[in-house]
Amino acid sequence: MVTFVDQVQVHLQSGRGGNGCVSVRREKFKPLAGPDGGAGGNGGDVVILADPQVTTLLEYHRRPHRVAENGGYGAGGYRAGTTAEDLILPVPVGTVVKDADGETLIDLNEPGMSIVAAKGGIGGLGNNALASAKRVAPGFALLGTDGWSGSITLELKTIADVAFVGYPSAGKSSLIAAMSAAKPKIADYPFTTLHPNLGVVQAGDSRFTVADVPGLIEGASEGKGLGLDFLRHVERCSALLHVLDCATLEPGRDPLSDLEIIKGELGAYPVPEGQVPLLERPQLIALNKIDVPEARELAEFVRPELEAQGYRVFEISTVSREGLRELGFALAELVEEARATKLAETPEQPRIVLKPKAVNDGGFRIVKEGGSYGTIFRILGEKPERWVAQTDFQNDEAVGYLADRLQKLRIDDALIKAGAVAGDAVVIGPGSGVVFDWEPTVTSAAEVQMGVRGSDARLEPNERRTNKERRTDYHVLMDAKAEARAELERERESGMWSEES
């Protein structure tokens, strides 16, 4: 098969998850009968699908930004938000999907293969789902999380079964136009074709694709002319068709010498490891332009010598269409043989091994960073980062619920092991993240709801005096009373007042 490459960078944005709802059911004689806030819907994924009906990436060159829908918000009465539909992006079979760093994510080389390139955000839970025996009527809900946003690269490897090779203006593009519905640009000067042309040929029950490799010249394997840019297109071909011009008027050229030069360039081109050298692949010869009388005579003259070299030779004309039917069936035979061989040699697919998470994997890691403003402890992990994104920091009860969740991960213990002390700056998530001053004394005392809904007593200022403060206040009071008595005694002794008065 012949491979051609087209690349386009596409920016994807999946849908955001809908927020959960805070609602309390009200019934007759029961002002607060229980929470009934529904969960938000998940945001839509962006899915890339290999579709045999799509042949190019042109649509993504025109519209490189694709956005999926957001999930719906939850509502009261246990009504969940709508889950957004996935955004399906059809691409041609043979498209390779790469991430922003150029790493291959998947090769969509079979129809129907797909990949979730951008995962949608998760819908937030409503207060109904957050209720418990100790938190009867939560005054908060979880927010929906953002979906994935970023760029990927789509690289199309258009596949053809047979490569037409030959000198410039040998009639390769005309042959494709005559054998298929392709309409390549055709002219009577060299290097008319600057990009390979593709065509689909139907021969009996066999259907295959052909491509003309733009004109080769002597020295192409060393980069002469358009050189390696053209030769790289025949690396994965199943078969080669040498198109030889029998009507050329250039001095020093004839079908036999053209064939030897082209074979020399194909033999000198190094194919990737594991592939069959180009000249060891099935090859046919088409003696073209026999509608010209002199060309027909030349074709009849050189045909016996070419057949003596072991080639199957076909005399053809793209103008009169003579010999094209026979050539099409011969090419179909080679393609079917190559497909059967490839199918027989297909290795057994490796088993997918699911590795369980290690028992000591806490689901997060702590990175100690230093800077001009002091030491920072950064918490990275899927769970804590998602929990922070789901928290409404304007609601004290929601912040307290976040503290409970983090405590269950034993983040305090991990911070102590990392060397953190009270008052150190802790960041959850990459980049700027969410920054707070770590106070290990603010911990969970089970999920106890205290105070009004939407508040958490653990986050309120502690106004109760300590025993030390009480003793200090007592001593200050006693000292003040003693001083007052001494002042009264001094005034009495000075005659300012007497006990009789």
Side-chain angles (χ1 to χ4, degrees), residues 224-240:
K224 187 176 180 181
L226 299 177
L228 299 177
D229 287 338
F230 289 165
L231 276 172
R232 67 185 177 90
H233 293 305
V234 299
E235 286 183 358
R236 296 172 60 187
C237 63
S238 297
L240 298 175

Side-chain angles (χ1 to χ4, degrees), residues 395-408:
N395 187 304
D396 288 344
E397 190 178 353
V399 176
Y401 181 70
L402 172 63
D404 290 344
R405 303 177 91 180
L406 295 177
Q407 181 63 16
K408 289 178 181 178

Side-chain angles (χ1 to χ4, degrees), residues 64-124:
H65 297 275
R66 301 302 176 100
V67 181
E69 294 183 355
N70 297 330
Y73 282 23
Y78 309 105
R79 290 174 293 175
T82 56
T83 296
E85 293 186 0
D86 295 338
L87 176 63
I88 308 297
L89 301 181
V91 297
V93 177
T95 299
V96 176
V97 183
K98 298 182 178 181
D99 61 17
D101 298 324
E103 295 293 329
T104 299
L105 300 177
I106 190 173
D107 185 354
L108 302 174
N109 55 10
E110 296 290 341
M113 290 183 65
S114 64
I115 181 176
V116 178
K119 184 67 177 175
I122 300 175

Side-chain angles (χ1 to χ4, degrees), residues 130-318:
L130 299 174
S132 66
K134 297 179 180 179
R135 183 182 281 111
V136 179
F140 70 100
L142 297 185
L143 306 179
T145 62
D146 290 330
W148 186 86
S149 177
S151 296
I152 63 168
T153 298
L154 300 179
E155 182 179 278
L156 173 59
K157 293 187 175 180
T158 306
I159 298 174
D161 298 295
V162 181
F164 292 0
V165 296
Y167 255 77
S169 297
K172 299 182 295 299
S173 298
S174 299
L175 180 56
I176 283 189
M179 296 183 70
S180 69
K183 297 181 179 179
K185 178 182 177 182
I186 301 172
D188 59 353
Y189 54 85
F191 297 111
T192 304
T193 305
L194 297 180
H195 301 284
N197 297 302
L198 290 174
V200 179
V201 179
Q202 186 78 39
D205 295 332
S206 180
R207 185 181 179 93
F208 59 94
T209 55
V210 296
D212 64 326
V213 176
L216 300 177
I217 62 175
E218 188 172 5
S221 61
E222 300 174 356
K224 187 176 180 181
L226 299 177
L228 299 177
D229 287 338
F230 289 165
L231 276 172
R232 67 185 177 90
H233 293 305
V234 299
E235 286 183 358
R236 296 172 60 187
C237 63
S238 297
L240 298 175
L241 175 66
H242 294 277
V243 182
L244 303 180
D245 186 357
C246 293
T248 181
L249 299 178
E250 295 184 27
R253 279 189 55 195
D254 61 78
L256 295 178
S257 62
D258 286 358
L259 177 62
E260 292 304 315
I261 291 175
I262 297 302
K263 286 172 58 179
E265 297 306 317
L266 295 176
Y269 182 76
V271 298
E273 184 178 355
Q275 294 188 16
V276 179
L278 297 180
L279 292 182
E280 295 182 15
R281 304 178 191 189
Q283 301 174 60
L284 299 180
I285 290 181
L287 298 174
N288 195 19
K289 303 182 182 180
I290 61 171
D291 54 287
V292 179
E294 294 81 0
R296 183 181 294 272
E297 293 179 2
L298 181 58
E300 294 175 349
F301 177 76
V302 301
R303 178 169 184 166
E305 184 171 347
L306 293 172
E307 291 177 337
Q309 297 179 23
Y311 295 107
R312 292 181 64 186
V313 182
F314 297 84
E315 298 178 20
I316 65 170
S317 169
T318 58

